[in-house]
Amino acid sequence: MGFIKAFAGSLSGTFADQWLDFYGPGSLESGTLGIFSAKAQGQNNGRGENSKGNNNIITNGSKIIVPEGTALITIEDGLITGIINEPGGFIFSSDDINSQSIFAGDGPNASLIKSTWEKFKFGGQAGSEQLAFYVNLKEIPKNRFGTQSEIYWDDAFFGTQVGAVTRGTYTLKIVDPLLFVKNFVPQKYLVANAPAFDFQDMDNEAAEELFNEVVSSLSCAFSNYTNDPSKGNRMNKIQADQIGFAKSLSSAVEEGYQWRSTRGLEIEKTAILAIEYDEDTKALMSDVKKADALSGSRGNSFFQQAVARGMQSAGENGGGANMAFMGMGMNAAGNMMGGVQQPNVGNSYQPNFGGGQINQNQGYQNQEQNQPPEDPTEKLIKMKKLLDAEVITQEEFDKMKRELLGL
């Protein structure tokens, strides 16, 4: 039993006149169907009619149409007996020695389907029940995912754990119809007069299971994406990278639930509609933005201007915390900067508030070389004094604190 290819492309009216039984997909109202029954057309637009066939028996010599983007699977007494994975018109035959049980075409998944067929194939003459089903091979949209509470993952860029609530959609594709039918589709969708398997049906428990598995894989998917060096380790790229994140999500789902290898399913694209980070992650992202803005020469210039403004304010106001800062001198302020570079201003002289003049290029360098390394805690205390004196801002203090503590 199997199929003989009759024609490809558009239907021929002359050919249609000769059909015994004519099977087709009928009128489809949803683009989210996974599998649905082939319908006997009975009368083919007035050209011919076969009223002698038995229910649930495909008459030998009947013609079956396989549209673009679908595969057709025949089932006899619960066993898969044939598959067509290329578009065209086919003759169903159970006695022709040249008949074949599989047409896998030349598509990207042809070898995969042929390999699966060799594992599952069955044959035989017509039994008590013969059924034909179409499997949707196009991208199936409108599959949703979302989390009710935060999910957490380790982020390589931040070097710590981050968390967020997220929601979005993904497109699904059936890449191996044999695995999909044999291992995943519930039996109630593979019997006579069965309802269509719709991924958007609220009562479809199999589709609900897919939703739960995707949600449970999101944490791993975010980690896969943000820890991939080729993505720059930045999670702010996820929403604009539909295909890149889809690969990360598909990989996470395959690792956890073997969608492709056992069910013939794969995630093609994603669209993240919203990401709401938790409060700790928001604060961390804010700090990183500020640190990025003050990095390099821009940060050096900004800090030098802040110190100069602080010293001027201390000289004008006098007393209290400002006087404490004045007593520290320029050299102490330079030490608190750690590794921050200072511009070369030549051999100009500046007052050191201790009497006399010193060479800015030589005097300070000699003093720094003669001083032992300062304890990070002491530096932090001095920075706090600068903060209290309003010489530096809270953001500058936080940045220096992170550098001193190695955060």
Side-chain angles (χ1 to χ4, degrees), residues 39 48-49 53 56 59 93 126 131 202 221 288 309 322 367 393:
K39 296 179 174 58
E49 182 177 2
N56 304 324
T59 305
S93 174
L131 305 172
M202 298 298 294
V288 169
R309 289 194 300 269
N322 291 332
Q367 292 182 33
T393 65

Side-chain angles (χ1 to χ4, degrees), residues 7 9-17 19 44 47:
F7 62 91
S10 61
L11 302 182
S12 165
T14 302
F15 190 84
D17 286 337
W19 291 359
N44 182 33
R47 290 194 177 98

Side-chain angles (χ1 to χ4, degrees), residues 16 24 56 62 95 125 278 281 291 304 310 325 335 344 349 364 384:
N56 304 324
S62 294
D95 53 9
Q125 297 301 311
D278 66 7
T281 303
Q304 292 159 17
F325 167 73
N335 286 338
N344 187 350
Y349 289 88
Y364 295 152
K384 184 62 168 63

Side-chain angles (χ1 to χ4, degrees), residues 64 183 189 230 236 277 301 309 315 385 392:
I64 296 179
N183 294 342
Y189 297 101
S230 67
N236 59 356
Y277 300 104
S301 175
R309 289 194 300 269
K385 291 180 180 180
I392 62 174

Side-chain angles (χ1 to χ4, degrees), residues 98-251:
N98 295 316
S99 67
Q100 301 181 50
S101 294
I102 180 172
F103 276 88
D106 299 319
N109 296 313
S111 60
L112 175 67
I113 295 172
K114 288 178 181 178
S115 175
T116 304
W117 171 253
E118 290 301 317
K119 298 176 184 177
F120 296 152
K121 65 181 178 180
F122 298 96
Q125 297 301 311
S128 59
E129 184 179 67
Q130 294 172 313
L131 305 172
F133 296 92
Y134 290 101
V135 180
N136 186 2
L137 301 182
K138 297 179 180 179
E139 285 190 41
I140 301 172
K142 298 182 180 180
N143 301 285
R144 294 177 174 81
F145 63 82
T147 60
Q148 295 181 344
S149 58
E150 288 86 357
I151 57 172
Y152 294 91
W153 67 93
D154 292 328
D155 189 283
F157 178 76
F158 292 117
T160 188
Q161 189 179 74
V162 296
V165 175
T166 185
R167 61 184 176 87
T169 62
Y170 65 92
T171 63
L172 184 67
K173 195 167 186 179
I174 301 171
V175 295
D176 190 329
L178 289 172
L179 287 178
F180 176 67
V181 171
K182 187 173 180 64
N183 294 342
F184 186 69
V185 177
Q187 188 61 32
K188 69 178 182 179
Y189 297 101
L190 301 174
V191 296
N193 303 315
F197 181 101
D198 193 336
F199 284 96
Q200 295 305 306
D201 185 354
M202 298 298 294
D203 296 325
N204 188 337
E205 296 178 354
E208 182 181 358
E209 175 63 22
L210 295 180
F211 170 85
N212 294 333
E213 291 177 1
V214 168
V215 171
S216 67
S217 301
L218 284 173
S219 178
C220 181
F222 276 89
S223 180
N224 288 345
Y225 189 93
T226 58
N227 289 282
D228 184 351
S230 67
K231 302 295 186 300
N233 294 332
R234 300 298 290 266
M235 62 184 178
N236 59 356
K237 296 181 179 179
I238 291 179
Q239 287 182 274
D241 189 5
Q242 297 183 30
I243 296 178
F245 182 68
K247 291 180 179 178
S248 296
L249 181 56
S250 182
S251 175

Side-chain angles (χ1 to χ4, degrees), residues 39 80 97 118 152 166 176 266 272 375 394:
K39 296 179 174 58
I80 297 174
I97 60 174
E118 290 301 317
Y152 294 91
T166 185
D176 190 329
E266 193 168 69
I272 297 181
D375 183 75
Q394 181 67 46

